[in-house]
Structure formats: C-alpha cells, structure tokens
Amino acid sequence: MDRNSAAQDASRCEICETNVVQMYCHTCEASLCRTCVGNHVTLNPKIEHQILGLGLHKSSLVYTRCGDHLHKCCHFYCKECDVPVCAICISTKKHCHHVFLQISQVFESKQKVIEKDTQILEEVVRPKYEHIAKDTKNILEHLDVQFGKTITMISEHGKKWHQKIDLIVTELNAKLHEIKSEQVYAMRKHLSHIKNSILAIEDAIVKNKGTLSSNEVIKTLNCQNKFSLFNKLPETLKIQSPIFSEGSIQLEEVGALFGSLQTFPIIKQNENETLNLPGDLSSSLLLDEPEVVATFHTGFQRLCNVACTDAENIWTSGRETIIKEFNQNGSCLKNVMTTSGMWPADIAWKGTGELLYSDSVAKTINVVKWGPVQKLMKFKSWKPGNICLSSSGDLLVTLCSEDETQVKVARYRGSVEKENIQFDENGKPLYSGNSKIKYLKENRNLDICVADSEAGAVVVVNQAGKLRFRYTGQPSHAKRKPFKPYGITTDTQGHILTSDSDSHCIHIIDQAGQFLCYLRNCDLKNPNGLCVDHNHNLFVAEYNTGKIKVIKYLQSPDNKWHSN
C-alpha cells in the first residue's frame, strides 16, 4: 500500500490491527473493533472498562479512576468529603453514613456554575474593563491639548517681560514638561495594566469555554470561579493640568511676581468600586428549592442572635444572661455569662478570636476571648443596640438616645468614633426613633444595611452615609401581614437577606434593592437573627422554638455543612 492511500485508510483496531475501529474504551483509551472487545476486557479483568460505540464516546463523560480502588471508575460524589468516589467506596467505613450524589449530577451543576461565570465575564466584566480602558486612552490623548493651553499662556505672559524674564519662562516650562512626563507615564502604566487585565479576562473566558467543551469530569470539578479575580474594578485616574497664575509686571523680584504653577496630584476615582451583577444574573445563582441541611436546638426559650466564626462554629444568644457556642454537630462547646445580669442586645464575631456583645442597659460593648469578659467601650448618653464588623475591621453600632426618640448608626475604629449616620439629605431621620432592635450588616459594596422593624423597611446607605434606597417589602405580601424585618445579613454575591418574623419567611433582595425571592419553604418559625458563613450556608435563629436552622440557598458546589 502506498503512502497516499495509507493516509486515507480507516483507523484500525489496536488489538487485531485489521478490522476497522468501531468501539472505544474510555478507561484504557483504546480503539477497538467489535470482535476484539471481549479480548480487551479479558486482558485486564480487574479494571472497570467504559466501552462505548465510536460515535458515542466523544459525547460521553470520562469518569476518573478512584484513588483508593484503581480498577474502578468514580460514578458517585461524596458530599461530606467533597470528592468523587466509586461504588466500593460507598460501603467503606471511611464514607459511613455519608450522602452520595451521581457524579453526572455534580458535573452538570458545576458546568452551570462555569457557564454563569463565563457569561458574567463576557457580559459584565470585560465590557466594563474595556470602557475604562477607552476613557483612560481618551484622557491620555487629550493631555497634549490641556497642557498646550497652559504652555501658551505662560509663553504669552513671558513675552511681556522681554529679556529680563526669559530665564524664568524657561525654568517654568521645564517644570511643566516634567510634570506632564510623570503624568503621561502614570497614565500609560495604568492603561497597560488595564489592557493586561482584559487579556487575563479573555484568557479566563477561553479556559472556561475549554472546560465547558471538555467531557473530563476532574477537569470540570477543578475549574475555579474566575469572577472573583476581576470583581474589583481598576480605578479611574483623573489628571488635571497645572494652572498658571499670572503675576504683576514689575522689575523687582521678577521670579516671585511673574507667576507660579499650581499642580494637582493624580486622583484615583472609584478606587473601591466593584461590579454589581445584573438582577437576572444575581437571582440565577439562587436555588429554586432551598435545602435545610441541619437543625439543632440551642436551649434558649427566646432565641435572638447568631454569629458564625472562622472555625465553622457558631455563637448564639437570646433573652437570657448567657451566650453559647456550638460546633457543626450542634454540641455546646462553651457558655459565657454576661456581666450586668442582662441579656445581650446583639453579638458579633470579630474574626481575631474575639466575640463582641452589646449591653443596652449597661451602655457597654464587651469582648469575650479566653479570660473573663472585658469592657471594650462605655457610652454616656446613647444606648448601644445591634452591632456588626465591617470589612475594614471597624465596628458599626446602632445607638439610641436615652429618651428613645433618636437613633443613629456610628462607626468606631478602636474606641474612636469616625462617623455617625442619622439623617438623610433633607435633614429627616433615616431610622425610626425608638429602642426596638435594628440589626445591621455591611454589604460587599460597603453599603450599610439596617433592618428597621418598626419602620417596616430595610434602610440602605452607602459608605458615606447617603441614602441609597428603602426596601419596604412586596405589595402582595403586605395584603397578608405588614412587612417587619428583623435579622439581616449579606453574602458574597451582594444579596441582602432579611427575616420577616411575623410572616415566617426571609426576603432576598439584590444590592440595588430589587426583590429576588422569598425563602419560605423551609418550615421557618419566627426567624430572627441571621448570618452566612464562608461556605455560603445561611444560619437562621428561630425566636420561639430556640432552634438554629442551616439552609443551603445558593447554587455552589462549595456549600457544605457536616452533620450526623
């Protein structure tokens, strides 16, 4: 057979080397004819062979080999261990009482996450970066015009002084060119950084699409969400050319009287701006059917507050003079007694091994660590209510006046008040003037969200304290019972979750105030305090039952809660 005809010959079986390939073994990556399939299996009888017709093998899932049983393929997924497993693994002690899923289900779920990540990168991230790059390029292109006007002004003024001021003109122009060079360099460097980011985004999209087109399970499972790498937008640089101030034409003190340059530093605008997902993309991350993955009783008759720790434990408190810490299995690890003999108004985990709690009667914020309870802050004319920690480590506190007619939110860095938020732009109070609970939480875009139960509204202000919106529930919901938000928390997607205790449900809105959905199919009973841990599990404190319910509500393979 000559080369030309051999190049066009059909693929031959790897065993007999005669018959045309009709089958394919995924496990051994071998091309076979129908006749030799039996021989191929006989050669390696201990291995679980995945043999399909030649037309089907490219569209079929390629199952990974089991790490503990190399002759078996992983057709299942262990939720507790977060790993693929084979049929033998299911019956071993290592996975005793664990919950298993079909690996194909996990594969499809992960593909949906990757598809959504790719959609976000294509529709949200890349266009925003390209827009900033275009604006930066326009600023750079107009620098010559802006600086040219100032140079002309200096030159014309210099002519009036003739020979006596030529030296001064030269020196000022040199300084101006130096400033321009520095700013041009800064803008070009910034533009280069943005373009590199765009290339990285495009590379991420290509990799995601490559994963989506692959039928390798382990490649899909290992694919990481790339949106978080680019959700913080590059800052916009603002450049202003120096302003030349003319001096009076006099012969004396020529240098000082001729004029000077007023220079401006490069200003970074929108330095902390992050991307907001559109409502349709944000809501699509929510599960259609939330799942209660754990429930345990705290022993409180009236349970109010819950706070997650970095070690996946939780702290709880209610209308009793005790604070309790629980582990994942619902076992009580520690009891802490309050110092004033009154129940805590609120609790918050500081993230440095410290738990904070507020005492409205004693007017203190206290800290619990290893030793006795210590007083962190003492107030004189205001009573502290609810508390939370910001992403920068600042303490946010709701404060009520002694006559219970005024309420404000104060920000503390250490024991120093850095900001207080009380009125809107028209001088009207942002929050209802009473001592009722007002849970608060900082969102990922640094908005401060307050659940004002008496006002029937979630009040959201930006980092500067300017009112962004008020969420007052849904009109259809109001026909049944008035909206009375109690607990409030946020998650990594910018969702705001607030508990509507009287209606036994939880409202989820996006960070722009748009209603997304209710969580009310989890048999909730008077939900009160809320928190979300780093695995995206929602913890709900039920006021009357004293139970903590752990709910999975986001589409993410990282949602885990271990329980017996």
Side-chain angles (χ1 to χ4, degrees):
M1 184 180 295
D2 61 41
R3 286 184 181 177
N4 292 333
S5 60
Q8 298 178 10
D9 191 19
S11 298
R12 300 295 173 178
C13 173
E14 294 183 11
I15 294 181
C16 66
E17 299 182 352
T18 302
N19 295 330
V20 175
V21 171
Q22 298 166 305
M23 312 296 288
Y24 185 81
C25 178
H26 269 310
T27 308
C28 304
E29 298 182 355
S31 300
L32 308 167
C33 66
R34 293 186 185 276
T35 305
C36 292
V37 169
N39 292 337
H40 174 74
V41 174
T42 304
L43 289 173
N44 297 286
K46 293 184 178 181
I47 296 178
E48 180 184 348
H49 295 275
Q50 187 181 353
I51 300 176
L52 295 170
L54 195 62
L56 298 175
H57 82 279
K58 291 184 179 181
S59 60
S60 301
L61 295 181
V62 180
Y63 294 100
T64 184
R65 292 279 190 92
C66 177
D68 296 328
H69 310 95
L70 298 179
H71 61 288
K72 287 289 184 179
C73 292
C74 296
H75 294 277
F76 304 95
Y77 192 85
C78 178
K79 289 184 66 177
E80 279 72 12
C81 300
D82 199 18
V83 294
V85 293
C86 70
I88 297 177
C89 290
I90 292 176
S91 59
T92 62
K93 291 183 178 179
K94 181 179 179 181
H95 298 281
C96 184
H97 302 305
H98 289 186
V99 177
F100 302 96
L101 299 174
Q102 291 287 340
I103 196 72
S104 58
Q105 295 176 343
V106 182
F107 176 82
E108 291 174 2
S109 176
K110 184 65 175 180
Q111 274 209 322
K112 290 180 181 178
V113 174
I114 299 173
E115 287 174 354
K116 189 58 60 180
D117 186 45
T118 305
Q119 182 184 1
I120 292 170
L121 290 174
E122 288 183 330
E123 299 179 9
V124 181
V125 180
R126 182 171 60 187
K128 191 67 175 179
Y129 274 75
E130 289 174 343
H131 178 72
I132 295 174
K134 181 180 179 181
D135 288 346
T136 303
K137 183 179 179 182
N138 289 336
I139 293 172
L140 187 60
E141 291 174 349
H142 286 83
L143 276 178
D144 286 336
V145 176
Q146 296 178 18
F147 278 80
K149 292 179 180 179
T150 308
I151 293 172
T152 301
M153 184 183 296
I154 294 172
S155 299
E156 290 178 351
H157 190 60
K159 291 176 183 179
K160 299 176 184 178
W161 291 66
H162 302 293
Q163 299 298 324
K164 296 180 181 180
I165 59 171
D166 283 346
L167 180 60
I168 297 174
V169 172
T170 302
E171 290 177 348
L172 286 174
N173 280 332
K175 183 178 180 180
L176 188 65
H177 282 293
E178 181 182 354
I179 295 170
K180 175 188 173 184
S181 298
E182 292 175 354
Q183 296 192 350
V184 168
Y185 173 77
M187 292 299 293
R188 286 177 175 168
K189 182 178 179 181
H190 185 57
L191 180 59
S192 176
H193 175 73
I194 297 172
K195 289 182 176 179
N196 288 337
S197 296
I198 293 174
L199 292 176
I201 294 169
E202 292 175 343
D203 182 60
I205 293 171
V206 171
K207 289 181 178 179
N208 274 0
K209 290 184 175 180
T211 302
L212 290 172
S213 64
S214 172
N215 56 2
E216 295 184 25
V217 172
I218 198 66
K219 185 175 180 180
T220 300
L221 295 179
N222 290 336
C223 182
Q224 300 295 317
N225 187 297
K226 302 174 182 63
F227 169 68
S228 60
L229 300 176
F230 306 99
N231 72 324
K232 183 176 181 180
L233 297 175
E235 63 271 8
T236 301
L237 302 184
K238 181 180 179 181
I239 292 179
Q240 186 171 348
S241 61
I243 296 176
F244 177 71
S245 302
E246 296 183 359
S248 302
I249 301 177
Q250 297 180 13
L251 296 179
E252 297 83 15
E253 301 178 355
V254 175
L257 296 175
F258 179 79
S260 61
L261 287 172
Q262 181 183 356
T263 60
F264 301 92
I266 297 176
I267 300 174
K268 295 181 179 180
Q269 293 183 328
N270 307 321
E271 188 173 359
N272 293 315
E273 182 182 0
T274 57
L275 285 170
N276 299 331
L277 293 183
D280 56 339
L281 295 181
S282 177
S283 60
S284 64
L285 298 174
L286 300 170
L287 289 175
D288 294 332
E289 293 293 332
E291 176 187 0
V292 178
V293 295
T295 301
F296 60 88
H297 204 290
T298 62
F300 287 105
Q301 296 300 315
R302 289 177 290 178
L303 178 62
C304 299
N305 309 311
V306 58
C308 305
T309 73
D310 300 331
E312 297 186 353
N313 294 336
I314 61 169
W315 285 90
T316 62
S317 70
R319 290 185 174 265
E320 300 177 27
T321 60
I322 190 172
I323 307 173
K324 300 180 183 181
E325 182 183 16
F326 293 86
N327 65 11
Q328 303 173 16
N329 300 320
S331 300
C332 187
L333 303 177
K334 186 185 299 183
N335 293 327
V336 176
M337 299 299 297
T338 62
T339 55
S340 69
M342 293 299 296
W343 58 75
D346 200 1
I347 58 177
W349 178 252
K350 194 174 181 181
T352 55
E354 298 175 338
L355 179 77
L356 305 181
Y357 77 86
S358 55
D359 189 326
S360 298
V361 176
K363 299 180 182 178
T364 60
I365 303 292
N366 305 287
V367 59
V368 178
K369 198 168 186 181
W370 302 113
V373 175
Q374 296 180 351
K375 186 189 302 180
L376 183 66
M377 299 170 60
K378 173 70 175 179
F379 299 87
K380 294 182 179 180
S381 57
W382 293 83
K383 297 185 292 185
N386 296 93
I387 58 176
C388 78
L389 274 299
S390 72
S391 57
S392 63
D394 295 341
L395 177 65
L396 300 174
V397 187
T398 59
L399 296 169
C400 181
S401 61
E402 288 187 323
D403 62 1
E404 299 187 0
T405 60
Q406 299 181 64
V407 170
K408 65 181 180 179
V409 173
R411 178 188 297 273
Y412 287 89
R413 189 162 301 161
S415 58
V416 179
E417 182 180 302
K418 292 296 183 181
E419 176 188 22
N420 70 77
I421 303 167
Q422 187 174 1
F423 303 103
D424 63 16
E425 292 181 328
N426 299 318
K428 295 182 179 180
L430 288 166
Y431 314 108
S432 60
N434 51 67
S435 60
K436 302 296 183 182
I437 60 172
K438 294 176 177 63
Y439 284 100
L440 75 165
K441 187 70 175 180
E442 182 187 71
N443 208 348
R444 72 169 192 173
N445 62 353
L446 306 184
D447 283 351
I448 300 172
C449 312
V450 175
D452 191 339
S453 59
E454 286 301 297
V458 172
V459 183
V460 178
V461 301
N462 62 18
Q463 188 181 16
K466 183 179 179 181
L467 179 65
R468 289 199 62 221
F469 64 85
R470 293 176 184 270
Y471 172 75
T472 56
Q474 295 300 294
S476 59
H477 183 80
K479 293 178 181 179
R480 297 189 294 274
K481 286 187 178 181
F483 175 56
K484 296 196 71 173
Y486 283 87
I488 194 167
T489 190
T490 61
D491 61 23
T492 56
Q493 305 303 319
H495 298 133
I496 302 170
L497 297 87
T498 185
S499 55
D500 190 351
S501 184
D502 293 347
S503 297
H504 311 290
C505 70
I506 294 172
H507 297 235
I508 302 182
I509 61 177
D510 65 19
Q511 59 191 24
Q514 178 182 348
F515 173 78
L516 299 178
C517 68
Y518 293 114
L519 286 186
R520 56 182 177 187
N521 61 336
C522 300
D523 194 28
L524 295 174
K525 299 290 192 303
N526 300 109
N528 207 69
L530 305 174
C531 73
V532 175
D533 69 4
H534 62 275
N535 287 323
H536 312 299
N537 295 299
L538 172 65
F539 294 77
V540 183
E542 292 189 336
Y543 183 76
N544 289 324
T545 68
K547 294 179 180 179
I548 292 291
K549 286 187 175 177
V550 188
I551 300 175
K552 176 183 176 182
Y553 69 102
L554 281 180
Q555 293 184 14
S556 171
D558 296 331
N559 282 73
K560 295 180 289 184
W561 177 258
H562 306 282
S563 63
N564 290 336

